[in-house]
């Protein structure tokens, strides 16, 4: 009986030491600094408005059979920020002849998008009145954000690493890892 009690006591002490160690796990993404398992607060970088899109920089992408609109990304504006937000200028030409231009961002890890600004006819930007992060819905109509997120810029919820990777995805019509057949 005494042996069992002593063994239980020793196991308890060893377990408490292991639990204490868990509180100082080192996270390699933050210069090996200790953290206490609380979620690290995400901070968005400032979105700097790019130059207005030029026709020669526009790369089209397929959205669905449900729309007759043309969707394009200005390749010269495509970038991945230190905050892991993929930012770009989108140009949508409607079937009725109108053109909509917007400066946007996608957070791949949360599957959200944000519109920072809309383009004006004079080639300037109008800051969006409602510029908040919105969940990307994969619905049959107006699914351009879902297409960008799921198939081009955020394979498996992970953002592209470089703008060149995003441009290649646009040219292929799907992310390069999907095109090569990797998981």
């Amino acid at each position: 009986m005494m042996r069992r009690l002593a063994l239980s006591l020793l196991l308890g002490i060893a377990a408490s030491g292991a639990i204490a160690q868990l509180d100082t796990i080192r996270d390699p993404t933050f210069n090996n600094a200790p953290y206490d398992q609380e979620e690290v607060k995400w901070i968005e970088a400032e979105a700097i408005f790019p130059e207005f899109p030029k026709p020669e920089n526009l790369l089209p992408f397929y959205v669905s059979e449900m729309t007759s609109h043309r969707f394009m990304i200005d390749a010269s504006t495509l970038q991945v920020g230190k905050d892991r937000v993929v930012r770009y200028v989108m140009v949508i030409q409607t079937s009725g002849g109108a053109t909509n231009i917007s400066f946007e961002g996608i957070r791949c890890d949360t599957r959200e998008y944000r519109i920072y600004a809309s383009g004006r006819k004079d080639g300037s930007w109008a800051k969006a009145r409602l510029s908040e992060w919105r969940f990307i819905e994969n619905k049959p109509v107006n699914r351009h954000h879902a297409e960008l997120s799921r198939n081009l810029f955020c394979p498996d919820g992970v953002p592209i690493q470089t703008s060149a990777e995003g441009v290649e995805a646009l040219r292929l019509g799907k992310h390069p890892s999907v095109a090569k057949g990797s998981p």
Side-chain angles (χ1 to χ4, degrees), residues 150-170:
R150 294 172 188 265
N151 299 319
L152 298 167
F153 298 157
C154 309
D156 299 319
V158 178
I160 55 175
Q161 297 296 306
T162 64
S163 56
E165 183 181 347
V167 168
E168 183 67 12
L170 288 164

Side-chain angles (χ1 to χ4, degrees), residues 52-169:
F52 216 68
K54 295 180 177 132
E56 62 268 17
N57 295 331
L58 298 179
L59 294 175
F61 66 97
Y62 176 79
V63 172
S64 81
E65 295 175 3
M66 301 294 287
T67 182
S68 57
H69 300 339
R70 289 192 60 209
F71 297 85
M72 296 163 281
I73 298 294
D74 182 338
S76 71
T77 65
L78 183 59
Q79 60 177 288
V80 185
K82 290 183 180 181
D83 56 3
R84 299 173 50 102
V85 173
V86 180
R87 292 183 180 85
Y88 53 86
V89 169
M90 184 179 325
V91 176
I92 303 172
Q93 292 177 339
T94 70
S95 54
T99 299
N100 298 311
I101 301 171
S102 54
F103 174 46
E104 305 180 356
I106 291 179
R107 281 188 70 190
C108 297
D109 56 340
T110 60
R111 298 268 189 219
E112 294 177 295
Y113 76 98
R114 180 176 181 180
I115 299 174
Y116 296 104
S118 296
R120 295 182 179 138
K121 287 185 179 183
D122 67 359
S124 64
W125 293 107
K127 190 173 181 179
R129 290 183 198 147
L130 295 174
S131 183
E132 68 236 5
W133 289 103
R134 298 177 189 156
F135 182 71
I136 297 172
E137 297 180 55
N138 190 15
K139 50 191 175 182
V141 181
N142 293 328
R143 64 174 303 279
H144 47 284
H145 293 111
E147 180 63 25
L148 289 172
S149 172
R150 294 172 188 265
N151 299 319
L152 298 167
F153 298 157
C154 309
D156 299 319
V158 178
I160 55 175
Q161 297 296 306
T162 64
S163 56
E165 183 181 347
V167 168
E168 183 67 12

